[in-house]
Amino acid sequence: MEIKNHKITMRQLQALIIMDTFGVLAVCLPQSMARLSGQNSWIWITAAGIIVSLIAAMAVSMDGSSLYKSFAGRTICILLCGKIILCTGVVLKIFASTVTSLLLDKTPVWIISGIMTLLCLHAALQGIKTRARAAEILFFVVALILIFVYMLTAYNMEIENLMPLSLSGGFKSTWQAVFSVFGVEYLLFIRPYLNGNRPAAKRALSAGILCSVLLGLTVLLTTAVFGAANMQVKNWAVLQVVNTIDFPIMLVERQDIIITAFWIGSAFAFLNAGVYYTGLLLSQAGVRKERDVFLFWASGLLIWAVSLYPSSIDMCMELLWKLRILNFIVYAAIIAAFVFKKGVAVNEK
């Protein structure tokens, strides 16, 4: 059965780019970056985001659906599925563990991850238009939460936690952060679903830069509140920063629910993307269908199964750190393909 719900606007493309990456990076990246560059990590995270934005613009300007036409291309798609399943499964375990720790301490992690997988699978089966509409809604919800948290957190900032500013180690930290961004490969396969002929690369670049600035600001405020030393030992400092806020009037009994809502929405976007693109690539490259329901279910089951493997948050973080080599390979392939495409275009002129 063909998907009819398959065209998205440029604004929805931008919402997808931001929501598919921002929240997971904001939660998972600060600790490892603080260990590399201390109080200056927010600078290099922002710089890394801009570099990745350029790669994302390259990716969205190409049509990866041409890979479905050859055996070698279909093999590449299957390998990409393996990468997506591994990364999504690890993040699913991190999400379920944080929710268990912050809200549902008596609920088994595998139940939370299973429920989230089913929700993501249901949304993925509805098509990319449903994903895009959900991303638009989630973006505004997340933006409101962030504005609220930024305003209140600013009162608890200690500027000395951001000092001294230093460029030492910036090159290494920047590239470490660049290879920590997962999901850029999705943009290779989104061109057939774009509504209209307007150039998407500039829109992708602007969305990526906005995401970079938001990420840098989030890490800056979190570092200013906790300090680099504390950031290095906190697994999810961004989710705990709201607990440092002293409300003049107690708005909620548990204020950590506010930032947890941000994490749930962000994690849903990332995990839904993983389920959707795994199912899409397996369907297109494996059985030449737009959507094979069985393969979508198999994708969700494999991601959930991977989430059962890590035994702790520390193990999850270590696995994500090791999986960065796969991002390096993907980025190198995207840049090479983009340069080749431009070279062919110049020769044709």
Side-chain angles (χ1 to χ4, degrees), residues 48-121:
I50 294 172
I51 293 172
V52 175
S53 299
L54 293 171
I55 300 174
M58 295 179 192
V60 82
S61 67
M62 294 183 285
D63 186 0
S65 61
S66 59
L67 292 172
Y68 305 145
K69 300 176 182 178
S70 66
F71 175 78
R74 291 194 294 273
T75 302
I76 291 173
C77 290
I78 300 301
L79 291 175
L80 278 176
C81 286
K83 172 189 181 295
I84 296 169
I85 288 170
L86 289 174
C87 299
T88 308
V90 174
V91 172
L92 177 60
K93 180 58 175 283
I94 293 174
F95 165 78
S97 297
T98 54
V99 170
T100 299
S101 174
L102 296 173
L103 292 178
L104 306 172
D105 57 337
K106 295 183 179 180
T107 305
V109 171
W110 65 270
I111 291 180
I112 295 175
S113 60
I115 291 173
M116 177 58 93
T117 302
L118 289 174
L119 290 174
C120 292
L121 177 61

Side-chain angles (χ1 to χ4, degrees), residues 189-266:
F189 303 96
I190 206 167
R191 176 161 287 278
Y193 305 104
L194 297 179
N195 190 14
N197 297 318
R198 289 179 294 178
K202 290 183 179 179
R203 297 298 186 94
L205 180 61
S206 62
I209 292 175
L210 175 59
C211 184
S212 305
V213 172
L214 290 174
L215 186 59
L217 182 58
T218 302
V219 176
L220 181 149
L221 288 173
T222 307
T223 305
V225 170
F226 288 120
N230 287 326
M231 291 276 287
Q232 294 174 24
V233 297
K234 288 182 178 292
N235 286 323
W236 42 77
V238 170
L239 298 182
Q240 299 176 50
V241 71
V242 73
N243 291 329
T244 67
I245 299 172
D246 295 323
F247 287 95
I249 299 176
M250 185 56 67
L251 301 179
V252 291
E253 184 177 350
R254 291 193 58 187
Q255 56 212 46
D256 56 340
I257 293 176
I258 299 171
I259 200 70
T260 303
F262 150 77
W263 175 224
I264 291 173
S266 300

